[in-house]
Amino acid sequence: MSITTKQIESQALNVEVEKFLKAGGVIQTLERSQYQTFRSPCFDKSLKELQAVAKKNKRKTFSYWCDKHGIGQFKSKDAKCIRCGALA
């Protein structure tokens, strides 16, 4: 996507937000503590499924969500977080 396209889409989004606010819409800002542990939707497979894919492709690690520090690398061998050793 080109920068020009992104700028056009950004301007269109700004126009939509202004319309929403003028129509009485309200935007609520969440405190950081309310969303810092959000699990990314990019993990559409379970830990075990991702571990199996990594093993099949002969990868030593794969990415997944660690409750201690967010997205992290996990060992394909035992599915433990490389940084803290926890199981997801």
Side-chain angles (χ1 to χ4, degrees), residues 5-58:
T5 304
K6 289 179 182 180
Q7 289 172 338
I8 291 169
E9 289 181 357
S10 179
Q11 290 171 351
L13 179 60
N14 287 338
V15 169
E16 290 298 316
V17 169
E18 288 298 320
K19 286 180 187 176
F20 173 75
L21 293 173
K22 284 181 183 177
V26 177
I27 296 175
Q28 180 183 7
T29 304
L30 298 175
E31 295 296 321
R32 174 105 176 118
S33 63
Q34 290 179 293
Y35 64 89
Q36 68 186 7
T37 58
F38 173 73
R39 290 182 186 230
S40 174
C42 66
F43 300 119
D44 59 348
K45 294 182 177 2
S46 72
L47 175 74
K48 293 298 179 188
E49 288 173 313
L50 289 173
Q51 180 186 16
V53 169
K55 281 182 175 181
K56 178 183 173 190
N57 292 313
K58 298 179 181 171

Side-chain angles (χ1 to χ4, degrees), residues 50-78:
L50 289 173
Q51 180 186 16
V53 169
K55 281 182 175 181
K56 178 183 173 190
N57 292 313
K58 298 179 181 171
R59 298 194 57 178
K60 292 183 179 183
T61 63
F62 62 97
S63 296
Y64 201 71
W65 182 266
C66 177
D67 288 330
K68 281 192 172 181
H69 54 267
I71 297 173
Q73 291 292 306
F74 286 73
K75 297 177 191 173
S76 299
K77 180 175 72 176
D78 57 10

